[in-house]
Amino acid sequence: MGCKNCCSICLQCLFGYETNVMLVINNKGVGALFRLIQFMIIAYVAVYVCWIQRAYQDTDSVISSVSTKVKGNILTNTSIEGVHVWDVPEYVIPPQGEKSFFVLTNVIPTPGQTQSKCPEIPSEVTKCESDSDCIEGHTEVHGNGVQTGHCVQYSDTIKTCEVHAWCPLENDTIIPKPALLGAAEHFTVLIKNNIQYPKFNFRKRNLLHHINSTYLKNCTFDRKTDPHCPIFRLGHMVTEAGEDFSVMALKGGIIGILIDWNCDLEFPERFCIPKYSFSRLDNKNPENNVAPGYNFRFAKYYKNNKSIETRTLIKAFGIRFDVIVFGMAGKFNIVPTIVNLGAALACLSLVTAICDWVMLTCMKDRDQYAKRKFIHLNQNGDSVPLVSKSFKQFILYVHFFFFYAKLDLL
Amino acid sequence: MGCKNCCSICLQCLFGYETNVMLVINNKGVGALFRLIQFMIIAYVAVYVCWIQRAYQDTDSVISSVSTKVKGNILTNTSIEGVHVWDVPEYVIPPQGEKSFFVLTNVIPTPGQTQSKCPEIPSEVTKCESDSDCIEGHTEVHGNGVQTGHCVQYSDTIKTCEVHAWCPLENDTIIPKPALLGAAEHFTVLIKNNIQYPKFNFRKRNLLHHINSTYLKNCTFDRKTDPHCPIFRLGHMVTEAGEDFSVMALKGGIIGILIDWNCDLEFPERFCIPKYSFSRLDNKNPENNVAPGYNFRFAKYYKNNKSIETRTLIKAFGIRFDVIVFGMAGKFNIVPTIVNLGAALACLSLVTAICDWVMLTCMKDRDQYAKRKFIHLNQNGDSVPLVSKSFKQFILYVHFFFFYAKLDLL
Amino acid sequence: MGCKNCCSICLQCLFGYETNVMLVINNKGVGALFRLIQFMIIAYVAVYVCWIQRAYQDTDSVISSVSTKVKGNILTNTSIEGVHVWDVPEYVIPPQGEKSFFVLTNVIPTPGQTQSKCPEIPSEVTKCESDSDCIEGHTEVHGNGVQTGHCVQYSDTIKTCEVHAWCPLENDTIIPKPALLGAAEHFTVLIKNNIQYPKFNFRKRNLLHHINSTYLKNCTFDRKTDPHCPIFRLGHMVTEAGEDFSVMALKGGIIGILIDWNCDLEFPERFCIPKYSFSRLDNKNPENNVAPGYNFRFAKYYKNNKSIETRTLIKAFGIRFDVIVFGMAGKFNIVPTIVNLGAALACLSLVTAICDWVMLTCMKDRDQYAKRKFIHLNQNGDSVPLVSKSFKQFILYVHFFFFYAKLDLL
């Protein structure tokens, strides 16, 4: 008794190794079951968790920057405008080459608009018979201006409410068919995409290292022959999205250019390559839709000789291409590895529980096993084989219970 | 001895089942504690992990595409411009209907600017008395042009440095009040949003399947009556963000339209619906801020009769609406399930450790328990009940230590 | 036998506490190994998992809104345009101050273009000798219009195919050097960034609380002296990205302004501050590149006295600044905590397996240990010390096997 004794106890605590006392049973059934479940769990970890799901990896989301450049010219010959050549600054809006760009395919121009008064386009709510049908200052939701309160002649037979507006009003009831710039399907777009995974300090471009500039100047993307060429024909993209360019060009729409940068950074950098896919993003189903297609209005402003502002209003139908970059990169990290390994190990302890249950209920020698597996300690501190018997009875009761329950059901 | 024996050992290794030998104690205290902690862990897994946190799910981030379309007309009557009707191509910038759109609410126009020389707007740094106060080629940070080095009359009493600039200069000291286009609060915007979760191959639109086009043409979003209508009144959104439209219209600001697509893909697709919310994103607190509100300048360029370029500079105040789409989708995946199940199982082993500690230190019969639980093996390989005694002494020492420590503190 | 007995069995099941029977071995080697591995795992969890990787946290991705405002004026003096002052509405495109803004640094203007016919710019594919070399309606990929089928004089010595186009054509073979707006490096940009982590209901701005508006009006970002000032000099950003502004200004490029909002929300809100960094995003390597630099074309449209539309085409070279906001916030959550704790606990069970293996194969007293650790049960249900012997033999066999295998290899 004293420090020496105290120290020896401490040392015993530190270096005394505790290990479970095990009961070894030579039963082929339970043994085989045990090994089988064990094997299944190990196989699940090795094949599914590690190989397929790569759960030993830490992940990061992609950060991306995109620039685009469209090329192509179209000549149109209409009765209103005559011969007109459309080049990139005219039909790509906005012109900067952002990741979302719009290519004009159909146009309803309204030249010579000035601020004045004119009769509304006839519709159920704008038709009138006298001034009392029009309200001064009223704005129709789908109208083109603010009502003056007068009812005026629109044509020989129709009277409509007069509006303050940019007159003459646009009449967009008839959409040019076929689309004015339907030949836009032959245009090409160069997409430059720069990505990074900041967590792994990884950067890459879709202009791959092994491709030289001579090839890039002449190639066009094709899933089979040129899968890494970043120059896309508009018509090809629309076709891959399952649409008909000439139909889509009429009323416009939105096409997603999806660039998938999912990468396993365990492999060398050259295996991390973008995968392109295309799909239509807007709803072409007319049933649960409003304003199908894609269009917007913009204007070019002029001042005439008398310094009065006039404008050409353009209702622009066209296809908006949204470059959508997504992806996750994975790289080995000890934390998810330990987590997955630990979880699998913990599940192995389930195996023992299952096999114990099988051993103690289904085996012929279950009483022997139970007697040896469990050491019972009664309240007086003596070990007695009491529960072993009770346990056997309990199992019997359970069996009887299910037996009678079945009889009742029949 | 030989191959037959060797095989039998191998088989024994493979099919010999090892199971722990257990000591069963009929002590209600320890037993109840054990079951209680076990129950708590199982309840945590079932209720919190599985039900609330849905930790058995694999997750994916949303990918989204947005298009917007504003509708509405305003009539203004100012002394400078006279009667003017503002329509969408004039007050929505940019006009394409991107996910971030700006609605003009207040304007300071400066028409007739040409490249020439004129006196600077008076301020502390631009006022001068003679040419020596002005530096040729100098550019003030908050100035409007490049100084010529001359000091000229701005008004009858004030002289300022002359600048090369687009003259006449804009004077933006007085902001129109009330806002010129304050009635913009009655405008509506249709927001079309298409999302996908690429990992689960799930796509959806905010124009829900069960809503027909007749409803969509006339509805306006209202949290209670029309929560799925994708047409929003600008004033309603600003009010929901906790702001006053007429105040915000004066100097502009940024409103976030947040669309939350958090979805549990275990449920049918129709339960995955967007939740809209609105909040002001810019800082209206003037204390730690510069340039409060939201404004920018743009110009319309003209050429007059003599082919000299003139422009109308417009300082545009207004509200930028940023449509921000976010969300995570979850779907059952075996990896996170195993990880969470395994982790919970591993924590169950902690229960045994705690109960063992209670059993061996707090129970009346702790010596009996320890004697039966631990089989001691001394260096000679014989089992002796030595440690059991030492352990008891150790516990006593610990108790004495705390007892004396307490006495000392008093 | 009856309900009373049945109940007592149930109670015994509920409150009978089962604990492992342990064998305690006083072997310093195994004990030390056990404690060492145990210590290493606990240290890994405490230091790496909790402290460095913060694996006890739930995470959320940042949602962000950005507005930008450029300031600065430049005076240029060219033979074509004469003295011209460039202000923000002229050189920032688009003018709205979005998160991606373009600053003009070099310009090739082509004034006075109208829709007409003119000879193509000479190149290998556009040069011709007679009309038969030109195809009516043909569009060259890198051409400026649609061919009329005629071969006309371009200059005294060169004939090229005539095209329908906006004439006169732009000749962009000579890029102004030095860049026309090279002084743009002195411009400043104010970046306002508002972020939120919706899962944690956390919002913050890059205009920090403790900074007052007086400071913000005069500061410029500097990594050492003013790391929280949101006003950046363009030249400073390009230099930090490792580029030379005067070189980059010639042909343009893309600079990423990366704002890192990685935050540990366990700490007070004031510790969550943005970290700025800058890098060039486009590819300046000419080998695997097309169209290096960054440029686009836009036009200003005019109508002359005779109402014929003319335009000034501008090929704009410049630097696009992309504000890229990224980051993850972490906050304590019970699920990842339990998962990591559980996984570590499960790994502790590996320790026992390793130490058991050491104890049963490497120790002098391994037979004694095995005899005590394993209780063997033969098919007749009697425990016999048979396997213990066999196990010893098995170990011997394994040793012999490796011994002979080694001999063979030598």
Side-chain angles (χ1 to χ4, degrees), chain C residues 102-163:
Chain C
F102 170 87
V103 174
L104 203 71
T105 56
N106 213 356
V107 167
I108 298 177
T110 313
Q113 285 190 328
T114 54
Q115 286 278 337
S116 52
K117 298 175 192 174
C118 48
E120 256 286 9
I121 303 293
S123 78
E124 278 184 25
V125 287
T126 59
K127 279 181 192 169
C128 59
E129 297 198 338
S130 71
D131 287 3
S132 61
D133 294 340
C134 304
I135 308 144
E136 195 185 334
H138 177 69
T139 311
E140 271 303 318
V141 176
H142 298 279
N144 293 292
V146 181
Q147 295 189 3
T148 59
H150 299 290
C151 186
V152 294
Q153 293 290 342
Y154 174 78
S155 64
D156 291 348
T157 53
I158 302 169
K159 286 178 95 174
T160 59
C161 288
E162 194 189 44
V163 285

Side-chain angles (χ1 to χ4, degrees), chain C residues 23-24 31 43 83 99 111-112 158 162 172 185 211 242 255 264 268 280 328 338 396:
Chain C
L23 179 72
V24 182
V83 171
K99 72 178 175 181
I158 302 169
E162 194 189 44
D172 62 352
E185 67 177 310
I211 291 177
I255 293 284
D264 187 345
R280 182 164 187 170
M328 293 284 264
I338 292 278
L396 269 169

Side-chain angles (χ1 to χ4, degrees), chain A residues 110-264:
Chain A
T110 313
Q113 286 191 327
T114 54
Q115 286 278 338
S116 52
K117 298 175 191 174
C118 48
E120 256 287 10
I121 303 292
S123 78
E124 278 187 25
V125 287
T126 58
K127 279 182 193 168
C128 59
E129 296 197 340
S130 71
D131 288 2
S132 61
D133 295 340
C134 303
I135 308 145
E136 195 185 336
H138 177 67
T139 311
E140 271 303 319
V141 176
H142 298 279
N144 294 292
V146 180
Q147 294 189 2
T148 59
H150 298 290
C151 187
V152 294
Q153 293 289 342
Y154 174 78
S155 64
D156 291 347
T157 54
I158 303 168
K159 285 178 96 176
T160 59
C161 288
E162 193 189 43
V163 284
H164 282 287
W166 287 92
C167 294
L169 297 181
E170 175 194 274
N171 190 341
D172 61 353
T173 44
I174 297 154
I175 296 171
K177 197 173 178 178
L180 192 69
L181 283 81
E185 67 177 311
H186 301 299
F187 293 168
T188 58
V189 59
L190 162 67
I191 297 176
K192 289 187 188 177
N193 179 212
N194 175 297
I195 61 122
Q196 53 185 300
Y197 288 106
K199 207 189 264 179
F200 307 126
N201 204 17
F202 179 89
R203 297 179 59 166
K204 193 148 188 183
R205 295 192 176 86
N206 70 334
L207 302 176
L208 302 176
H209 289 313
H210 65 273
I211 291 177
N212 62 25
S213 52
T214 323
Y215 171 74
L216 286 173
K217 260 170 200 150
N218 295 298
C219 70
T220 313
F221 176 82
D222 184 289
R223 204 164 287 287
K224 280 181 192 160
T225 59
D226 298 80
H228 303 319
C229 176
I231 297 167
F232 304 85
R233 217 172 58 87
L234 301 195
H236 181 78
M237 291 194 286
V238 172
T239 308
E240 281 229 353
E243 301 292 326
D244 183 339
F245 195 94
S246 59
V247 173
M248 204 171 170
L250 283 177
K251 289 195 158 196
I254 304 177
I255 293 283
I257 303 173
L258 284 84
I259 308 185
D260 180 354
W261 277 98
N262 271 315
C263 279
D264 187 345

Side-chain angles (χ1 to χ4, degrees), chain A residues 20 87 96 194 302 387, chain C residues 12 281 291 294 309 311 373:
Chain A
N20 290 336
D87 61 356
Q96 302 101 271
N194 175 297
Y302 308 101
V387 181
Chain C
Q12 209 168 353
L281 299 182
Y294 187 75
E309 196 172 34
R311 72 175 194 185
K373 182 170 169 65

